[in-house]
Amino acid sequence: MPRMTKLLLQLQAAADRRHGHGGIGLGPGRGRRHTPAAGRFSPACLALCLLAVAAAATTLAVALTLDRQSPVPAAAGPGASPRGFSVVINTWRRHALLQRSVAHYAACAGVEAVHVVWSEPRPPPERLRRGVLINGTRRGTVRFEINEADSLNNRFRPIRGLPTDAVFSVDDDLIVPCSTLRFAFDVWQSAPSAMVGFVPRMHWLADPRGSTKEYRYGSWWSVWWTGTYSMVLSKASFFHRQYLDLYTNRMLPSIRKYVTENRNCEDIAMSFLIANHTGAPPIWVQGYLRLDRAASAV
């Protein structure tokens, strides 16, 4: 334990020197496979997930302990549609952004339903609720998922009555053009057990020859400079709905506790959960995203 405490203290100090999220907008490109995956976070977050299980054999397996299961997703649940996907939007006190985001995604072809993950201390104001719920999708509806506790883990809680196997998880300030979103969904359909997303990142051992497993985190510029990546963030990604249950009910509670206390790293946990469960890397789909009215690659 003293050794672990020392490592975490070192990593917490490193968090103060965390990288930013800069990037360059890219036109639609081909989905590409690379080495395994994860999120919007500091070096401390990454290492905490990686150190969660000391006996891990690979950087993907160290994030969490799960019983190995078939990498092929379970069959569609009752009423689940294999043709479309559900958009799950995580939001926090940005009501205007949320309304624009819901209106955009509800109008995209292939969207069966839009679910808004609400974790604010008060219920959605009636004016906001009306402004959001008016945006019914072409086939389905828009619904608030109200949570009593404020935690980033809420974005990955299982959703009752989810009509599709495919889930597109996205932050409320990210707009993916409908045509690009549809292309990424087509890519996901070719590999439904994988995470398919638009936001790649990197991580690597700080000292490959050392005995301390400390990792460094590389932002978008590291991906751009090296031409490779090791993770895809859940802030704009497709994955199978079974991973919502695995995250909430099978992942180490200590990881969820860390996410709640530090309000960060949920994207790492989900990304590594999927990679560990399947033994396969994520797929990065290049795309031109819009961040809060400004064109940006994230």
Side-chain angles (χ1 to χ4, degrees), residues 186-208:
D186 291 341
V187 173
W188 178 84
Q189 287 184 301
S190 70
S193 63
M195 175 179 277
V196 176
F198 297 96
V199 188
R201 292 292 186 267
M202 289 185 63
H203 72 285
W204 59 88
L205 281 170
D207 182 6

Side-chain angles (χ1 to χ4, degrees), residues 118-188:
W118 186 269
S119 301
E120 295 185 24
R122 296 181 179 180
E126 186 59 30
R127 180 178 179 181
L128 174 66
R129 186 185 292 269
R130 290 198 307 267
V132 167
L133 298 183
I134 197 174
N135 295 290
T137 69
R138 296 182 180 184
R139 297 179 182 175
T141 59
V142 177
R143 194 173 82 188
F144 279 91
E145 302 297 333
I146 308 296
N147 297 281
E148 296 182 358
D150 171 22
S151 171
L152 284 174
N153 291 311
N154 291 339
R155 72 182 304 166
F156 299 134
R157 291 186 63 184
I159 296 175
R160 183 177 300 179
L162 196 66
T164 65
D165 284 337
V167 172
F168 180 66
S169 175
V170 66
D171 289 351
D172 58 6
D173 61 346
L174 277 178
I175 298 296
V176 181
C178 293
S179 58
T180 304
L181 187 65
R182 183 68 196 195
F183 173 74
F185 175 58
D186 291 341
V187 173
W188 178 84

Side-chain angles (χ1 to χ4, degrees), residues 23-26 173-175 288-298:
I24 299 176
L26 300 175
D173 61 346
L174 277 178
I175 298 296
Y288 190 68
L289 312 184
R290 183 160 59 88
L291 176 61
D292 189 16
R293 294 185 174 179
S296 173
V298 290

